[in-house]
PDB file of all heavy atoms in Angstrom:
ATOM      1  N   SER A 262      -7.172   3.405 -55.880  1.00 98.00           N
ATOM      2  CA  SER A 262      -6.061   2.649 -55.329  1.00 98.00           C
ATOM      3  C   SER A 262      -5.273   3.554 -54.391  1.00 98.00           C
ATOM      4  O   SER A 262      -5.330   4.782 -54.483  1.00 98.00           O
ATOM      5  CB  SER A 262      -5.154   2.149 -56.453  1.00 98.00           C
ATOM      6  OG  SER A 262      -4.452   3.236 -57.056  1.00 98.00           O
ATOM      7  N   ASP A 263      -4.540   2.952 -53.505  1.00 97.00           N
ATOM      8  CA  ASP A 263      -3.737   3.729 -52.563  1.00 97.00           C
ATOM      9  C   ASP A 263      -2.689   4.559 -53.301  1.00 97.00           C
ATOM     10  O   ASP A 263      -2.289   5.628 -52.831  1.00 97.00           O
ATOM     11  CB  ASP A 263      -3.057   2.797 -51.563  1.00 97.00           C
ATOM     12  CG  ASP A 263      -4.033   2.185 -50.577  1.00 97.00           C
ATOM     13  OD1 ASP A 263      -5.147   2.741 -50.424  1.00 97.00           O
ATOM     14  OD2 ASP A 263      -3.689   1.161 -49.964  1.00 97.00           O
ATOM     15  N   GLN A 264      -2.230   4.062 -54.457  1.00 97.00           N
ATOM     16  CA  GLN A 264      -1.172   4.756 -55.192  1.00 97.00           C
ATOM     17  C   GLN A 264      -1.628   6.096 -55.760  1.00 97.00           C
ATOM     18  O   GLN A 264      -0.804   6.983 -55.984  1.00 97.00           O
ATOM     19  CB  GLN A 264      -0.653   3.872 -56.330  1.00 97.00           C
ATOM     20  CG  GLN A 264       0.162   2.681 -55.889  1.00 97.00           C
ATOM     21  CD  GLN A 264      -0.690   1.526 -55.389  1.00 97.00           C
ATOM     22  OE1 GLN A 264      -1.925   1.566 -55.469  1.00 97.00           O
ATOM     23  NE2 GLN A 264      -0.036   0.513 -54.873  1.00 97.00           N
ATOM     24  N   VAL A 265      -2.917   6.248 -56.001  1.00 98.00           N
ATOM     25  CA  VAL A 265      -3.382   7.473 -56.652  1.00 98.00           C
ATOM     26  C   VAL A 265      -4.327   8.293 -55.780  1.00 98.00           C
ATOM     27  O   VAL A 265      -4.681   9.425 -56.145  1.00 98.00           O
ATOM     28  CB  VAL A 265      -4.078   7.171 -57.994  1.00 98.00           C
ATOM     29  CG1 VAL A 265      -3.183   6.300 -58.875  1.00 98.00           C
ATOM     30  CG2 VAL A 265      -5.430   6.507 -57.781  1.00 98.00           C
ATOM     31  N   LYS A 266      -4.733   7.755 -54.656  1.00 98.00           N
ATOM     32  CA  LYS A 266      -5.681   8.458 -53.782  1.00 98.00           C
ATOM     33  C   LYS A 266      -5.125   9.820 -53.380  1.00 98.00           C
ATOM     34  O   LYS A 266      -3.977   9.940 -52.963  1.00 98.00           O
ATOM     35  CB  LYS A 266      -5.960   7.602 -52.546  1.00 98.00           C
ATOM     36  CG  LYS A 266      -7.152   8.035 -51.734  1.00 98.00           C
ATOM     37  CD  LYS A 266      -7.417   7.040 -50.601  1.00 98.00           C
ATOM     38  CE  LYS A 266      -7.788   5.683 -51.139  1.00 98.00           C
ATOM     39  NZ  LYS A 266      -8.097   4.719 -50.045  1.00 98.00           N
ATOM     40  N   GLY A 267      -5.950  10.831 -53.540  1.00 97.00           N
ATOM     41  CA  GLY A 267      -5.529  12.194 -53.217  1.00 97.00           C
ATOM     42  C   GLY A 267      -4.909  12.935 -54.386  1.00 97.00           C
ATOM     43  O   GLY A 267      -4.712  14.152 -54.324  1.00 97.00           O
ATOM     44  N   ARG A 268      -4.572  12.216 -55.463  1.00 98.00           N
ATOM     45  CA  ARG A 268      -3.974  12.859 -56.654  1.00 98.00           C
ATOM     46  C   ARG A 268      -4.890  12.761 -57.872  1.00 98.00           C
ATOM     47  O   ARG A 268      -4.896  13.665 -58.713  1.00 98.00           O
ATOM     48  CB  ARG A 268      -2.626  12.202 -56.990  1.00 98.00           C
ATOM     49  CG  ARG A 268      -1.593  12.318 -55.893  1.00 98.00           C
ATOM     50  CD  ARG A 268      -0.225  11.841 -56.386  1.00 98.00           C
ATOM     51  NE  ARG A 268      -0.216  10.421 -56.724  1.00 98.00           N
ATOM     52  CZ  ARG A 268       0.123   9.948 -57.909  1.00 98.00           C
ATOM     53  NH1 ARG A 268       0.494  10.762 -58.885  1.00 98.00           N
ATOM     54  NH2 ARG A 268       0.113   8.645 -58.125  1.00 98.00           N
ATOM     55  N   PHE A 269      -5.624  11.662 -57.991  1.00 98.00           N
ATOM     56  CA  PHE A 269      -6.495  11.436 -59.144  1.00 98.00           C
ATOM     57  C   PHE A 269      -7.956  11.588 -58.726  1.00 98.00           C
ATOM     58  O   PHE A 269      -8.314  11.282 -57.578  1.00 98.00           O
ATOM     59  CB  PHE A 269      -6.298  10.026 -59.697  1.00 98.00           C
ATOM     60  CG  PHE A 269      -4.969   9.774 -60.364  1.00 98.00           C
ATOM     61  CD1 PHE A 269      -3.914  10.676 -60.275  1.00 98.00           C
ATOM     62  CD2 PHE A 269      -4.769   8.611 -61.093  1.00 98.00           C
ATOM     63  CE1 PHE A 269      -2.696  10.438 -60.881  1.00 98.00           C
ATOM     64  CE2 PHE A 269      -3.555   8.349 -61.714  1.00 98.00           C
ATOM     65  CZ  PHE A 269      -2.520   9.259 -61.590  1.00 98.00           C
ATOM     66  N   VAL A 270      -8.776  12.016 -59.680  1.00 98.00           N
ATOM     67  CA  VAL A 270     -10.210  12.138 -59.447  1.00 98.00           C
ATOM     68  C   VAL A 270     -10.958  11.541 -60.637  1.00 98.00           C
ATOM     69  O   VAL A 270     -10.723  11.928 -61.787  1.00 98.00           O
ATOM     70  CB  VAL A 270     -10.639  13.603 -59.256  1.00 98.00           C
ATOM     71  CG1 VAL A 270     -12.153  13.685 -59.056  1.00 98.00           C
ATOM     72  CG2 VAL A 270      -9.924  14.223 -58.073  1.00 98.00           C
ATOM     73  N   ILE A 271     -11.862  10.606 -60.340  1.00 98.00           N
ATOM     74  CA  ILE A 271     -12.697  10.007 -61.377  1.00 98.00           C
ATOM     75  C   ILE A 271     -14.081  10.643 -61.324  1.00 98.00           C
ATOM     76  O   ILE A 271     -14.607  10.935 -60.240  1.00 98.00           O
ATOM     77  CB  ILE A 271     -12.787   8.466 -61.207  1.00 98.00           C
ATOM     78  CG1 ILE A 271     -13.511   7.844 -62.402  1.00 98.00           C
ATOM     79  CG2 ILE A 271     -13.447   8.097 -59.886  1.00 98.00           C
ATOM     80  CD1 ILE A 271     -13.459   6.311 -62.402  1.00 98.00           C
ATOM     81  N   SER A 272     -14.661  10.886 -62.492  1.00 97.00           N
ATOM     82  CA  SER A 272     -16.001  11.461 -62.563  1.00 97.00           C
ATOM     83  C   SER A 272     -16.671  10.943 -63.834  1.00 97.00           C
ATOM     84  O   SER A 272     -16.013  10.342 -64.684  1.00 97.00           O
ATOM     85  CB  SER A 272     -15.952  12.988 -62.558  1.00 97.00           C
ATOM     86  OG  SER A 272     -15.228  13.477 -63.678  1.00 97.00           O
ATOM     87  N   ARG A 273     -17.974  11.188 -63.948  1.00 94.00           N
ATOM     88  CA  ARG A 273     -18.693  10.724 -65.126  1.00 94.00           C
ATOM     89  C   ARG A 273     -19.791  11.687 -65.513  1.00 94.00           C
ATOM     90  O   ARG A 273     -20.334  12.400 -64.674  1.00 94.00           O
ATOM     91  CB  ARG A 273     -19.245   9.317 -64.902  1.00 94.00           C
ATOM     92  CG  ARG A 273     -20.350   9.197 -63.894  1.00 94.00           C
ATOM     93  CD  ARG A 273     -20.679   7.730 -63.628  1.00 94.00           C
ATOM     94  NE  ARG A 273     -21.209   7.073 -64.801  1.00 94.00           N
ATOM     95  CZ  ARG A 273     -21.280   5.744 -64.954  1.00 94.00           C
ATOM     96  NH1 ARG A 273     -20.852   4.947 -63.977  1.00 94.00           N
ATOM     97  NH2 ARG A 273     -21.792   5.200 -66.042  1.00 94.00           N
ATOM     98  N   ASP A 274     -20.122  11.647 -66.773  1.00 89.00           N
ATOM     99  CA  ASP A 274     -21.193  12.453 -67.345  1.00 89.00           C
ATOM    100  C   ASP A 274     -22.093  11.488 -68.101  1.00 89.00           C
ATOM    101  O   ASP A 274     -21.735  11.010 -69.175  1.00 89.00           O
ATOM    102  CB  ASP A 274     -20.614  13.512 -68.277  1.00 89.00           C
ATOM    103  CG  ASP A 274     -21.686  14.340 -68.956  1.00 89.00           C
ATOM    104  OD1 ASP A 274     -22.853  14.285 -68.519  1.00 89.00           O
ATOM    105  OD2 ASP A 274     -21.362  15.048 -69.932  1.00 89.00           O
ATOM    106  N   ASN A 275     -23.249  11.181 -67.521  1.00 81.00           N
ATOM    107  CA  ASN A 275     -24.122  10.176 -68.111  1.00 81.00           C
ATOM    108  C   ASN A 275     -25.038  10.750 -69.175  1.00 81.00           C
ATOM    109  O   ASN A 275     -25.671  11.769 -68.990  1.00 81.00           O
ATOM    110  CB  ASN A 275     -24.979   9.515 -67.016  1.00 81.00           C
ATOM    111  CG  ASN A 275     -24.190   8.542 -66.181  1.00 81.00           C
ATOM    112  OD1 ASN A 275     -23.113   8.097 -66.553  1.00 81.00           O
ATOM    113  ND2 ASN A 275     -24.711   8.228 -65.013  1.00 81.00           N
ATOM    114  N   ALA A 276     -25.117  10.035 -70.267  1.00 65.00           N
ATOM    115  CA  ALA A 276     -26.117  10.284 -71.299  1.00 65.00           C
ATOM    116  C   ALA A 276     -26.167  11.724 -71.791  1.00 65.00           C
ATOM    117  O   ALA A 276     -27.084  12.482 -71.447  1.00 65.00           O
ATOM    118  CB  ALA A 276     -27.490   9.853 -70.805  1.00 65.00           C
ATOM    119  N   ASN A 277     -25.189  12.076 -72.578  1.00 65.00           N
ATOM    120  CA  ASN A 277     -25.295  13.375 -73.234  1.00 65.00           C
ATOM    121  C   ASN A 277     -26.345  13.279 -74.349  1.00 65.00           C
ATOM    122  O   ASN A 277     -27.021  12.274 -74.518  1.00 65.00           O
ATOM    123  CB  ASN A 277     -23.937  13.809 -73.766  1.00 65.00           C
ATOM    124  CG  ASN A 277     -23.412  12.896 -74.862  1.00 65.00           C
ATOM    125  OD1 ASN A 277     -24.169  12.176 -75.510  1.00 65.00           O
ATOM    126  ND2 ASN A 277     -22.107  12.938 -75.081  1.00 65.00           N
ATOM    127  N   ASN A 278     -26.532  14.304 -75.106  1.00 59.00           N
ATOM    128  CA  ASN A 278     -27.577  14.344 -76.117  1.00 59.00           C
ATOM    129  C   ASN A 278     -27.414  13.285 -77.205  1.00 59.00           C
ATOM    130  O   ASN A 278     -28.355  12.956 -77.905  1.00 59.00           O
ATOM    131  CB  ASN A 278     -27.655  15.732 -76.747  1.00 59.00           C
ATOM    132  CG  ASN A 278     -28.156  16.769 -75.770  1.00 59.00           C
ATOM    133  OD1 ASN A 278     -28.869  16.435 -74.829  1.00 59.00           O
ATOM    134  ND2 ASN A 278     -27.768  18.018 -75.965  1.00 59.00           N
ATOM    135  N   ASN A 279     -26.209  12.771 -77.354  1.00 66.00           N
ATOM    136  CA  ASN A 279     -25.964  11.732 -78.358  1.00 66.00           C
ATOM    137  C   ASN A 279     -26.110  10.331 -77.788  1.00 66.00           C
ATOM    138  O   ASN A 279     -25.822   9.364 -78.489  1.00 66.00           O
ATOM    139  CB  ASN A 279     -24.564  11.893 -78.943  1.00 66.00           C
ATOM    140  CG  ASN A 279     -24.423  13.177 -79.735  1.00 66.00           C
ATOM    141  OD1 ASN A 279     -25.363  13.596 -80.410  1.00 66.00           O
ATOM    142  ND2 ASN A 279     -23.266  13.808 -79.646  1.00 66.00           N
ATOM    143  N   GLY A 280     -26.586  10.213 -76.520  1.00 66.00           N
ATOM    144  CA  GLY A 280     -26.731   8.902 -75.917  1.00 66.00           C
ATOM    145  C   GLY A 280     -25.419   8.294 -75.498  1.00 66.00           C
ATOM    146  O   GLY A 280     -25.340   7.088 -75.280  1.00 66.00           O
ATOM    147  N   GLU A 281     -24.365   9.088 -75.392  1.00 77.00           N
ATOM    148  CA  GLU A 281     -23.066   8.588 -74.972  1.00 77.00           C
ATOM    149  C   GLU A 281     -22.852   8.886 -73.499  1.00 77.00           C
ATOM    150  O   GLU A 281     -23.456   9.783 -72.933  1.00 77.00           O
ATOM    151  CB  GLU A 281     -21.960   9.247 -75.801  1.00 77.00           C
ATOM    152  CG  GLU A 281     -22.033   8.935 -77.283  1.00 77.00           C
ATOM    153  CD  GLU A 281     -21.003   9.715 -78.072  1.00 77.00           C
ATOM    154  OE1 GLU A 281     -20.592  10.798 -77.607  1.00 77.00           O
ATOM    155  OE2 GLU A 281     -20.619   9.250 -79.166  1.00 77.00           O
ATOM    156  N   ASN A 282     -21.989   8.120 -72.929  1.00 87.00           N
ATOM    157  CA  ASN A 282     -21.592   8.337 -71.547  1.00 87.00           C
ATOM    158  C   ASN A 282     -20.088   8.540 -71.506  1.00 87.00           C
ATOM    159  O   ASN A 282     -19.348   7.835 -72.196  1.00 87.00           O
ATOM    160  CB  ASN A 282     -21.975   7.136 -70.681  1.00 87.00           C
ATOM    161  CG  ASN A 282     -23.460   6.901 -70.662  1.00 87.00           C
ATOM    162  OD1 ASN A 282     -24.170   7.408 -69.814  1.00 87.00           O
ATOM    163  ND2 ASN A 282     -23.941   6.121 -71.618  1.00 87.00           N
TER     164      ASN A 282
END
Side-chain angles (χ1 to χ4, degrees):
S262 70
D263 289 341
Q264 289 79 6
V265 308
K266 194 175 296 182
R268 299 189 296 123
F269 291 11
V270 178
I271 187 172
S272 61
R273 68 188 295 163
D274 177 14
N275 285 343
N277 65 21
N278 292 334
N279 294 323
E281 297 174 334
N282 299 269

